[in-house]
Amino acid sequence: MSSIEQIRLDFPVLDQLVNGSPLVYFDNAATTQKPKAVLDALQHYYSLDNANIHRGIHSLAERATAAYELTRKKIQQFLHAESSDQIIFTSGTTGGINLVAQTYGRANFQAGDKILVSNLEHHSNIVPWQMIALERGAEVLVIPVSDVGELDMDAYCQILQENTVKLVAVNHVSNAIGTINPIKEMIELAHAHGAKILIDGAQSVAHLEVDVQEFDMDFFAFSAHKLFGPTGVGVLYGKRELLEAMPPYQGGGEMIKEVSFSGTTYNELPYKFEAGTPNIADVIAFSASFDYLESLDKGWVEKQENELLAYATEQLSQIDGLRIIGNAAKKIAVISFLIDGTHPQDIGVLLDKFGIAIRTGHHCAQPLMQRFEIPGTCRASFSFYNTKEEIDRLVTSLKRVKTMLL
Ligand SMILES: *Cc1c(COP(=O)(O)O)cnc(C)c1O
């Protein structure tokens, strides 16, 4: 058995018929599938260790607490963070960005300050900034995107020149068109002009190496479910001095040191930002994602994804009337496309009849769709468990769909 066949066996969901055909799952940018190790970890936790964490003195609570904190350690290692108390559990990338907007933003933004986002952002890296900007009298500015889908770095430098930008919020990789942004350079430039920077890493963690110290990141947010882990878990990394100076986000249990009616003191990092009973089971199961990823050959994963991107780009480009949106020089394995005379939604619905799962629509990036003057796209996004045979099926099915629609 080849290694890809072995790997596909690790993902039980892949082995099924959808509408009578073997499933082709090309919606990995929306959420990745979970290896059996993650499913087993969830089952194991609820079957044997279920307890509330941190406050219990009994054995189950101790086991659950140890497992929960072990995930934090693994994330620290994964991000190359200085220390595990800079790893804050949230509900997702969205949760992490809102935390920074509502605490760092509320404490630091003043009237006239600028918050700089890009035209490539997901709504969750736009709307929280609009909300806090409105509240604080700050303004949201936008880095433009070129026709191929790359950030306009000259414009970026120009906007920073004014030295009024307090915070830059930009994704590492675009979920809608796959562009890999030059974040190392962007971070250096932001810092050179006195701005802090938040990196939305939702799409990069599954594909690229992330080193928060080497890149000198101020904030980095991502979601477990896009890294082969469960839904409902996210991570926010922050520089220690920033996190320490930030007021708490939500009040409640766990985030306090002492509570009294004459005044309450707050807990240390990371607990200051983790009020209430967290998503214990899913955090613990997320640990298995890292073990699983470590069991894979990184070089093979990278090669597999690059080959899938190159092959799919070449094969799809040969379909008459098919136009790829987003042709950045550096991309992850995501292809957004349109077929002349058809609507993305119709293509998605018909592909599903052939068992092929893609995403259609605006991909939570309406300003980017407005930039390209399109209502949305079809998006096929790949993971290392996908194959060239599956891409062949996409191409054949698209040709059939075309004849049905045109
Ligand atoms: C998915 C995604 C988000 C939002 O993640 P949630 O898990 O929905 O919180 C934000 N930014 C990008 C680039 C994404 O791909």
Side-chain angles (χ1 to χ4, degrees), residues 29-30 88-101 121-126 128-129 169-173 175 198-206 219-227 230-237 249 286:
I88 294 153
F89 285 118
T90 65
S91 58
T93 308
T94 307
I97 296 171
N98 276 279
L99 192 163
V100 176
E121 299 311 308
H122 189 282
H123 295 162
S124 71
N125 203 22
I126 298 174
W129 306 117
V170 69
N171 58 35
H172 194 171
V173 170
N175 65 302
L198 174 141
I199 306 294
D200 168 353
Q203 291 298 331
S204 61
V205 282
F219 298 106
F220 184 84
F222 71 95
S223 302
H225 72 96
K226 289 177 178 171
L227 188 60
T231 51
V233 175
V235 171
L236 174 70
Y237 160 86
Y249 183 33
F286 186 29

Side-chain angles (χ1 to χ4, degrees), residues 2 66 95 172 207 221 263 321 323 336 360 374 379 384 386:
S2 77
H172 194 171
H207 305 283
R323 178 159 63 104
S336 251
T360 64
I374 52 178
R379 182 186 70 187
F384 56 80
N386 291 125

Side-chain angles (χ1 to χ4, degrees), residues 26 306-324 335 337-339 380 382 387-399 402:
F26 283 165
N306 287 339
E307 281 179 11
L308 290 172
L309 176 64
Y311 185 69
T313 304
E314 180 201 308
Q315 294 298 310
L316 288 172
S317 303
Q318 285 169 19
I319 297 177
D320 256 2
L322 186 145
R323 178 159 63 104
I324 292 177
I335 301 182
F337 62 90
L338 288 168
I339 296 181
F382 311 108
T387 64
K388 287 187 180 167
E389 291 71 33
E390 290 182 309
I391 291 169
D392 290 340
R393 266 191 55 206
L394 172 68
V395 171
T396 312
S397 303
L398 276 174
K399 287 179 181 160
K402 255 186 72 180

Side-chain angles (χ1 to χ4, degrees), residues 62-264:
E62 278 175 10
R63 289 208 297 266
T65 304
Y68 185 86
E69 292 302 329
L70 181 64
T71 305
R72 204 189 300 273
K73 270 262 162 234
K74 286 187 183 164
I75 294 166
Q76 177 205 344
Q77 285 160 9
F78 179 77
L79 296 179
H80 304 277
E82 301 88 320
S83 130
S84 62
D85 58 8
Q86 289 161 266
I87 305 299
I88 294 153
F89 285 118
T90 65
S91 58
T93 308
T94 307
I97 296 171
N98 276 279
L99 192 163
V100 176
Q102 292 295 314
T103 69
Y104 180 83
R106 185 168 290 127
N108 290 281
F109 297 158
Q110 322 251 331
D113 283 346
K114 310 283 193 279
I115 306 161
L116 183 54
V117 302
S118 91
N119 203 346
L120 274 180
E121 299 311 308
H122 189 282
H123 295 162
S124 71
N125 203 22
I126 298 174
V127 183
W129 306 117
Q130 290 176 324
M131 288 163 65
I132 194 68
L134 197 64
E135 187 183 312
R136 302 298 305 163
E139 194 186 343
V140 176
L141 302 180
V142 184
I143 310 164
V145 166
S146 73
D147 290 343
V148 293
E150 291 171 344
L151 292 183
D152 180 341
M153 290 295 284
D154 291 337
Y156 178 58
C157 292
Q158 202 91 61
I159 298 168
L160 286 174
Q161 291 299 341
E162 311 272 323
N163 290 332
T164 49
V165 174
K166 264 272 157 73
L167 183 107
V168 178
V170 69
N171 58 35
H172 194 171
V173 170
S174 157
N175 65 302
I177 58 174
T179 308
I180 300 174
N181 290 318
I183 58 160
K184 193 159 193 199
E185 191 185 340
M186 294 183 79
I187 292 168
E188 279 168 17
L189 284 162
H191 288 162
H193 290 92
K196 302 292 181 214
I197 184 161
L198 174 141
I199 306 294
D200 168 353
Q203 291 298 331
S204 61
V205 282
H207 305 283
L208 305 172
E209 178 87 8
V210 175
D211 187 325
V212 292
Q213 290 190 83
E214 191 199 322
F215 280 51
D216 197 20
M217 295 191 195
D218 295 314
F219 298 106
F220 184 84
F222 71 95
S223 302
H225 72 96
K226 289 177 178 171
L227 188 60
F228 314 101
T231 51
V233 175
V235 171
L236 174 70
Y237 160 86
K239 274 196 185 144
R240 176 180 300 283
E241 67 270 21
L242 295 174
L243 293 175
E244 277 178 350
M246 278 155 59
Y249 183 33
Q250 294 174 316
E254 194 65 24
M255 54 75 71
I256 49 86
K257 228 181 217 141
E258 291 263 0
V259 177
S260 82
F261 287 118
S262 56
T264 289

